[in-house]
Amino acid sequence: MKSIIGHAAIVDQLLSSLAGESPPSALMLAGDESLGKYTLALTYAGAWLCLSNVKPCYECESCAKLFGTGETPLPRNLQFALTDGPTNHPDVLIVAPSPDQIKIEQTRNARQWASFHAVMGRGRFIIIKRAQMMNLSAANALLKTLEEPPPGYTFLLTADSTDGMLPTILSRCRIIRLGPLTANEIANGLTALIGTDPERAMRLGSLARGRVGRAIRWAISDESPSLSAMEELDQIVMEGLSGRPIGALLRAERFRAACAGFEAETGGSRQAIARGFEFVAERLRDALEERLIEGRHEGADRLKRLIAEAMAAKAAALGNANAQISSERLFVEMALAR
Ligand SMILES: [Zn+2]
């Protein structure tokens, strides 16, 4: 499968299934956001449906219908995943939360869609994006279809987390878990597929904390001042979480100075400060997730409170609040929250 960054073992596993008669009837790609689950699902469906020998070729009629045609700055599968492109493929249905829930109408509609034969021949795919956002009735409706999968149909689910999903759905799916990529994997991928300068690719790879989707978005935004700003904020948050309270005001000052690097990208100083708070919230979420994965639950509530504080500061910044006061409050609390 061309144009996938990292996840080599999983790609091998999926590739070997391509040699079989038909794809598994239900596959779930699970793992944190921005690890490339949706891209993998799309590319896998594209590979099955591709009419050429190199699968997916991104050129045949099937690939053109699935991924679109014309020049794109990114390889087609990445472009499609990043822009949430609608597909014109008659044998692929994409179900996604709109905006924060997948509702019963959507899974019922999928069920109805699954009563027709493939148009182009090689089977049909129903991709359910962020399946953890199915509400209970939607999940139950899907379950009925999964219990008696129509022949020739494959359900590809992606989920940021399997917590809270119906065990009966999970047990019907072959579950593939994705982990974070290494900085090197991301950097090599950015250079090979997008042509990112290797030094910049390595900086983005380190900053992305294994989340390849973020690195791609940063790589194509091409804002070098933002990259330096993100690196500085990353540093400040790491120090903030481990440093002494006495440095908190200085860190708040460095935070405001670093945010100036977002001005070109965001188009204003208030927006730049808001972007900075958003980035800090994201880093705190990463720190929280890392802790939970390692089974360290102490301090989790404090981190959650800090995340809420950072998001509130972001909203306040857009509403013209005093950036000095809100940044000082955040970094003082961060220092106290150790
Ligand atoms: Zn093709």
Side-chain angles (χ1 to χ4, degrees):
M1 299 201 302
K2 275 196 298 180
S3 307
I4 296 282
I5 296 180
H7 301 306
I10 292 171
V11 169
D12 277 352
Q13 205 181 331
L14 293 175
L15 272 178
S16 66
S17 86
L18 284 178
E21 285 271 294
S22 60
S25 63
L27 200 66
M28 180 184 293
L29 297 162
D32 287 343
E33 48 108 15
S34 286
L35 291 179
K37 303 180 294 291
Y38 185 52
T39 304
L40 264 178
L42 283 168
T43 313
Y44 182 62
W48 262 103
L49 297 169
C50 178
L51 306 169
S52 161
N53 291 324
V54 187
K55 295 170 185 301
C57 69
Y58 302 112
E59 280 167 12
C60 71
E61 191 192 348
S62 171
C63 287
K65 281 205 154 64
L66 177 54
F67 298 106
T69 54
E71 283 295 309
T72 52
L74 293 172
R76 280 191 198 294
N77 57 339
L78 301 182
Q79 181 76 26
F80 188 94
L82 196 74
T83 54
D84 254 330
T87 185
N88 291 318
H89 201 293
D91 293 322
V92 177
L93 178 70
I94 297 172
V95 179
S98 67
D100 55 357
Q101 243 186 44
I102 295 176
K103 302 199 179 94
I104 186 165
E105 294 82 353
Q106 293 173 276
T107 46
R108 266 200 199 132
N109 175 37
R111 197 175 179 195
Q112 215 163 40
W113 189 81
S115 57
F116 298 98
H117 286 295
V119 176
M120 293 183 74
R122 292 214 65 205
R124 300 193 105 189
F125 286 81
I126 296 177
I127 300 177
I128 302 183
K129 191 180 178 186
R130 302 213 169 103
Q132 81 275 6
M133 290 175 126
M134 282 188 289
N135 65 27
L136 187 61
S137 46
N140 275 316
L142 175 69
L143 183 61
K144 283 187 194 144
T145 320
L146 287 181
E147 278 168 348
E148 293 165 39
Y153 273 81
T154 299
F155 288 81
L156 294 177
L157 286 71
T158 71
D160 294 348
S161 160
T162 52
D163 297 348
M165 289 188 70
L166 288 182
T168 38
I169 288 205
L170 297 177
S171 69
R172 298 272 162 192
C173 296
R174 197 172 116 206
I175 299 178
I176 296 181
R177 295 197 183 272
L178 278 70
L181 302 186
T182 65
N184 269 322
E185 285 176 313
I186 294 178
N188 293 339
L190 293 180
T191 301
L193 295 181
I194 310 178
T196 310
D197 161 75
E199 188 251 324
R200 186 173 140 81
M202 198 57 220
R203 288 168 70 191
L204 291 169
S206 310
L207 201 55
R209 294 269 164 82
R211 287 160 167 78
V212 61
R214 276 186 204 165
I216 292 173
R217 277 190 288 274
W218 293 336
I220 56 171
S221 84
D222 202 32
E223 294 282 356
S224 293
S226 311
L227 176 53
S228 309
M230 288 192 291
E231 285 171 336
E232 168 73 349
L233 292 185
D234 187 45
Q235 188 65 34
I236 297 170
V237 173
M238 282 204 296
E239 288 173 21
L241 287 173
S242 59
R244 290 180 305 149
I246 201 164
L249 296 185
L250 184 59
R251 283 191 286 276
E253 197 182 323
R254 282 168 61 201
F255 165 84
R256 296 192 300 277
C259 286
F262 293 127
E263 280 182 24
E265 177 193 326
T266 58
S269 59
R270 280 190 291 130
Q271 289 84 346
I273 292 281
R275 172 83 184 84
F277 280 125
E278 187 183 358
F279 185 85
V280 168
E282 197 172 275
R283 284 286 99 138
L284 292 169
R285 256 182 236 121
D286 293 344
L288 176 63
E289 258 166 38
E290 279 161 25
R291 265 185 211 201
L292 294 180
I293 286 171
E294 290 165 10
R296 294 189 294 137
H297 292 266
E298 81 280 358
D301 286 341
R302 283 174 162 179
L303 274 171
K304 282 180 195 160
R305 226 177 38 232
L306 282 174
I307 293 165
E309 175 92 17
M311 291 310 286
K314 176 197 167 187
L318 289 171
N320 222 356
N322 183 318
Q324 183 174 349
I325 295 175
S326 43
S327 59
E328 286 180 353
R329 188 163 55 210
L330 178 65
F331 283 95
V332 167
E333 279 203 23
M334 196 181 294
L336 296 174
R338 279 192 297 140

